[in-house]
PDB file of all heavy atoms in Angstrom:
ATOM      1  N   GLY A 559       0.491  -5.405   6.167  1.00 79.00           N
ATOM      2  CA  GLY A 559      -0.235  -4.369   5.507  1.00 79.00           C
ATOM      3  C   GLY A 559      -0.393  -3.054   6.431  1.00 79.00           C
ATOM      4  O   GLY A 559      -0.119  -2.026   5.798  1.00 79.00           O
ATOM      5  N   ALA A 562       2.974  -1.451   6.690  1.00 85.00           N
ATOM      6  CA  ALA A 562       3.364  -0.799   5.411  1.00 85.00           C
ATOM      7  C   ALA A 562       2.458   0.459   5.375  1.00 85.00           C
ATOM      8  O   ALA A 562       2.945   1.531   4.957  1.00 85.00           O
ATOM      9  CB  ALA A 562       3.085  -1.727   4.285  1.00 85.00           C
ATOM     10  N   GLY A 563       1.239   0.488   5.745  1.00 84.00           N
ATOM     11  CA  GLY A 563       0.306   1.567   5.595  1.00 84.00           C
ATOM     12  C   GLY A 563       0.834   2.682   6.637  1.00 84.00           C
ATOM     13  O   GLY A 563       0.805   3.960   6.344  1.00 84.00           O
ATOM     14  N   LEU A 564       1.241   2.301   7.847  1.00 85.00           N
ATOM     15  CA  LEU A 564       1.931   3.247   8.833  1.00 85.00           C
ATOM     16  C   LEU A 564       2.982   4.043   8.290  1.00 85.00           C
ATOM     17  O   LEU A 564       3.269   5.162   8.383  1.00 85.00           O
ATOM     18  CB  LEU A 564       2.136   2.679  10.107  1.00 85.00           C
ATOM     19  CG  LEU A 564       0.942   2.258  11.024  1.00 85.00           C
ATOM     20  CD1 LEU A 564       1.602   1.545  12.240  1.00 85.00           C
ATOM     21  CD2 LEU A 564       0.330   3.566  11.527  1.00 85.00           C
ATOM     22  N   ALA A 566       3.896   4.282   5.037  1.00 86.00           N
ATOM     23  CA  ALA A 566       3.396   5.139   3.922  1.00 86.00           C
ATOM     24  C   ALA A 566       2.871   6.438   4.458  1.00 86.00           C
ATOM     25  O   ALA A 566       3.025   7.531   3.831  1.00 86.00           O
ATOM     26  CB  ALA A 566       2.470   4.365   3.070  1.00 86.00           C
ATOM     27  N   ARG A 567       1.937   6.302   5.522  1.00 84.00           N
ATOM     28  CA  ARG A 567       1.495   7.619   5.960  1.00 84.00           C
ATOM     29  C   ARG A 567       2.392   8.534   6.639  1.00 84.00           C
ATOM     30  O   ARG A 567       2.229   9.726   6.605  1.00 84.00           O
ATOM     31  CB  ARG A 567       0.295   7.283   7.058  1.00 84.00           C
ATOM     32  CG  ARG A 567      -0.870   6.680   6.397  1.00 84.00           C
ATOM     33  CD  ARG A 567      -2.085   6.512   7.384  1.00 84.00           C
ATOM     34  NE  ARG A 567      -2.162   7.437   8.419  1.00 84.00           N
ATOM     35  CZ  ARG A 567      -2.705   7.146   9.546  1.00 84.00           C
ATOM     36  NH1 ARG A 567      -3.133   6.044   9.890  1.00 84.00           N
ATOM     37  NH2 ARG A 567      -2.763   8.057  10.626  1.00 84.00           N
ATOM     38  N   PRO A 575      -6.350   8.804   4.891  1.00 68.00           N
ATOM     39  CA  PRO A 575      -7.351   8.058   5.723  1.00 68.00           C
ATOM     40  C   PRO A 575      -6.665   7.480   6.955  1.00 68.00           C
ATOM     41  O   PRO A 575      -5.511   7.298   7.048  1.00 68.00           O
ATOM     42  CB  PRO A 575      -7.626   6.874   4.720  1.00 68.00           C
ATOM     43  CG  PRO A 575      -6.937   7.148   3.413  1.00 68.00           C
ATOM     44  CD  PRO A 575      -6.072   8.401   3.586  1.00 68.00           C
ATOM     45  N   PHE A 579      -8.282   0.012  10.337  1.00 78.00           N
ATOM     46  CA  PHE A 579      -8.861  -0.790   9.297  1.00 78.00           C
ATOM     47  C   PHE A 579      -8.348  -0.041   7.938  1.00 78.00           C
ATOM     48  O   PHE A 579      -8.147  -0.696   6.919  1.00 78.00           O
ATOM     49  CB  PHE A 579     -10.280  -1.002   9.309  1.00 78.00           C
ATOM     50  CG  PHE A 579     -10.668  -1.962  10.356  1.00 78.00           C
ATOM     51  CD1 PHE A 579     -11.362  -1.519  11.448  1.00 78.00           C
ATOM     52  CD2 PHE A 579     -10.257  -3.353  10.380  1.00 78.00           C
ATOM     53  CE1 PHE A 579     -11.730  -2.324  12.448  1.00 78.00           C
ATOM     54  CE2 PHE A 579     -10.607  -4.154  11.357  1.00 78.00           C
ATOM     55  CZ  PHE A 579     -11.312  -3.753  12.479  1.00 78.00           C
ATOM     56  N   LEU A 580      -8.554   1.358   7.935  1.00 77.00           N
ATOM     57  CA  LEU A 580      -8.153   2.009   6.691  1.00 77.00           C
ATOM     58  C   LEU A 580      -6.633   1.976   6.501  1.00 77.00           C
ATOM     59  O   LEU A 580      -6.241   1.888   5.312  1.00 77.00           O
ATOM     60  CB  LEU A 580      -8.514   3.370   6.727  1.00 77.00           C
ATOM     61  CG  LEU A 580     -10.106   3.560   6.633  1.00 77.00           C
ATOM     62  CD1 LEU A 580     -10.462   5.051   6.829  1.00 77.00           C
ATOM     63  CD2 LEU A 580     -10.692   3.104   5.274  1.00 77.00           C
ATOM     64  N   THR A 581      -5.891   1.939   7.490  1.00 78.00           N
ATOM     65  CA  THR A 581      -4.435   2.057   7.378  1.00 78.00           C
ATOM     66  C   THR A 581      -3.965   0.546   6.861  1.00 78.00           C
ATOM     67  O   THR A 581      -3.146   0.347   6.032  1.00 78.00           O
ATOM     68  CB  THR A 581      -3.699   2.256   8.743  1.00 78.00           C
ATOM     69  OG1 THR A 581      -4.102   3.588   9.080  1.00 78.00           O
ATOM     70  CG2 THR A 581      -2.161   2.221   8.536  1.00 78.00           C
ATOM     71  N   ALA A 582      -4.518  -0.554   7.453  1.00 79.00           N
ATOM     72  CA  ALA A 582      -4.327  -1.938   7.056  1.00 79.00           C
ATOM     73  C   ALA A 582      -4.803  -2.015   5.482  1.00 79.00           C
ATOM     74  O   ALA A 582      -4.024  -2.690   4.706  1.00 79.00           O
ATOM     75  CB  ALA A 582      -4.974  -2.938   7.870  1.00 79.00           C
ATOM     76  N   ALA A 583      -5.895  -1.628   5.148  1.00 82.00           N
ATOM     77  CA  ALA A 583      -6.265  -1.753   3.875  1.00 82.00           C
ATOM     78  C   ALA A 583      -5.544  -0.855   2.774  1.00 82.00           C
ATOM     79  O   ALA A 583      -5.266  -1.353   1.688  1.00 82.00           O
ATOM     80  CB  ALA A 583      -7.838  -1.143   3.692  1.00 82.00           C
ATOM     81  N   LEU A 584      -4.939   0.224   3.262  1.00 83.00           N
ATOM     82  CA  LEU A 584      -4.082   1.039   2.484  1.00 83.00           C
ATOM     83  C   LEU A 584      -2.751   0.298   2.191  1.00 83.00           C
ATOM     84  O   LEU A 584      -2.220   0.140   1.151  1.00 83.00           O
ATOM     85  CB  LEU A 584      -3.621   2.299   3.199  1.00 83.00           C
ATOM     86  CG  LEU A 584      -2.692   3.210   2.555  1.00 83.00           C
ATOM     87  CD1 LEU A 584      -3.128   3.863   1.225  1.00 83.00           C
ATOM     88  CD2 LEU A 584      -2.212   4.288   3.480  1.00 83.00           C
ATOM     89  N   GLY A 585      -2.260  -0.498   3.242  1.00 83.00           N
ATOM     90  CA  GLY A 585      -1.003  -1.316   3.068  1.00 83.00           C
ATOM     91  C   GLY A 585      -1.230  -2.512   2.276  1.00 83.00           C
ATOM     92  O   GLY A 585      -0.427  -2.784   1.430  1.00 83.00           O
ATOM     93  N   ILE A 586      -2.381  -3.117   2.415  1.00 84.00           N
ATOM     94  CA  ILE A 586      -2.657  -4.310   1.635  1.00 84.00           C
ATOM     95  C   ILE A 586      -2.962  -3.888   0.327  1.00 84.00           C
ATOM     96  O   ILE A 586      -2.521  -4.634  -0.839  1.00 84.00           O
ATOM     97  CB  ILE A 586      -3.902  -5.129   2.190  1.00 84.00           C
ATOM     98  CG1 ILE A 586      -3.426  -5.665   3.659  1.00 84.00           C
ATOM     99  CG2 ILE A 586      -4.319  -6.236   1.370  1.00 84.00           C
ATOM    100  CD1 ILE A 586      -4.660  -6.198   4.434  1.00 84.00           C
ATOM    101  N   GLY A 587      -3.633  -2.796   0.040  1.00 85.00           N
ATOM    102  CA  GLY A 587      -3.900  -2.384  -1.369  1.00 85.00           C
ATOM    103  C   GLY A 587      -2.573  -1.942  -1.954  1.00 85.00           C
ATOM    104  O   GLY A 587      -2.351  -2.208  -3.338  1.00 85.00           O
ATOM    105  N   GLY A 588      -1.642  -1.491  -1.271  1.00 84.00           N
ATOM    106  CA  GLY A 588      -0.417  -1.032  -1.848  1.00 84.00           C
ATOM    107  C   GLY A 588       0.309  -2.202  -2.210  1.00 84.00           C
ATOM    108  O   GLY A 588       1.080  -2.235  -3.219  1.00 84.00           O
ATOM    109  N   ALA A 589       0.256  -3.178  -1.404  1.00 83.00           N
ATOM    110  CA  ALA A 589       1.042  -4.534  -1.890  1.00 83.00           C
ATOM    111  C   ALA A 589       0.446  -5.105  -3.061  1.00 83.00           C
ATOM    112  O   ALA A 589       1.136  -5.513  -3.960  1.00 83.00           O
ATOM    113  CB  ALA A 589       0.947  -5.515  -0.746  1.00 83.00           C
ATOM    114  N   ALA A 613       5.256  -2.967  -0.921  1.00 83.00           N
ATOM    115  CA  ALA A 613       3.925  -2.728  -0.371  1.00 83.00           C
ATOM    116  C   ALA A 613       3.964  -1.249   0.155  1.00 83.00           C
ATOM    117  O   ALA A 613       2.978  -0.492  -0.058  1.00 83.00           O
ATOM    118  CB  ALA A 613       3.603  -3.586   0.849  1.00 83.00           C
ATOM    119  N   GLY A 616       3.832   0.996  -2.937  1.00 86.00           N
ATOM    120  CA  GLY A 616       2.501   0.968  -3.463  1.00 86.00           C
ATOM    121  C   GLY A 616       1.403   1.706  -2.627  1.00 86.00           C
ATOM    122  O   GLY A 616       0.635   2.354  -3.090  1.00 86.00           O
ATOM    123  N   ALA A 617       1.573   1.645  -1.267  1.00 87.00           N
ATOM    124  CA  ALA A 617       0.649   2.443  -0.318  1.00 87.00           C
ATOM    125  C   ALA A 617       1.030   4.026  -0.554  1.00 87.00           C
ATOM    126  O   ALA A 617       0.020   4.698  -0.522  1.00 87.00           O
ATOM    127  CB  ALA A 617       0.906   2.007   1.065  1.00 87.00           C
ATOM    128  N   VAL A 618       2.174   4.317  -0.753  1.00 88.00           N
ATOM    129  CA  VAL A 618       2.515   5.670  -0.949  1.00 88.00           C
ATOM    130  C   VAL A 618       1.885   6.168  -2.287  1.00 88.00           C
ATOM    131  O   VAL A 618       1.279   7.172  -2.347  1.00 88.00           O
ATOM    132  CB  VAL A 618       4.121   5.951  -1.021  1.00 88.00           C
ATOM    133  CG1 VAL A 618       4.481   7.321  -1.525  1.00 88.00           C
ATOM    134  CG2 VAL A 618       4.666   5.851   0.399  1.00 88.00           C
ATOM    135  N   LEU A 620      -0.802   4.977  -3.725  1.00 86.00           N
ATOM    136  CA  LEU A 620      -2.244   5.118  -3.369  1.00 86.00           C
ATOM    137  C   LEU A 620      -2.629   6.401  -2.640  1.00 86.00           C
ATOM    138  O   LEU A 620      -3.493   7.013  -3.000  1.00 86.00           O
ATOM    139  CB  LEU A 620      -2.771   3.908  -2.677  1.00 86.00           C
ATOM    140  CG  LEU A 620      -2.716   2.590  -3.325  1.00 86.00           C
ATOM    141  CD1 LEU A 620      -3.258   1.449  -2.479  1.00 86.00           C
ATOM    142  CD2 LEU A 620      -3.603   2.783  -4.677  1.00 86.00           C
ATOM    143  N   LEU A 621      -1.611   6.696  -1.710  1.00 85.00           N
ATOM    144  CA  LEU A 621      -1.836   7.952  -0.904  1.00 85.00           C
ATOM    145  C   LEU A 621      -1.714   9.179  -1.802  1.00 85.00           C
ATOM    146  O   LEU A 621      -2.520  10.213  -1.623  1.00 85.00           O
ATOM    147  CB  LEU A 621      -0.947   7.992   0.249  1.00 85.00           C
ATOM    148  CG  LEU A 621      -1.430   7.332   1.521  1.00 85.00           C
ATOM    149  CD1 LEU A 621      -0.304   7.456   2.616  1.00 85.00           C
ATOM    150  CD2 LEU A 621      -2.683   8.060   1.979  1.00 85.00           C
TER     151      LEU A 621
END
Side-chain angles (χ1 to χ4, degrees):
L564 282 176
R567 283 184 40 206
F579 292 112
L580 288 176
T581 302
L584 175 70
I586 293 168
V618 167
L620 289 178
L621 274 176

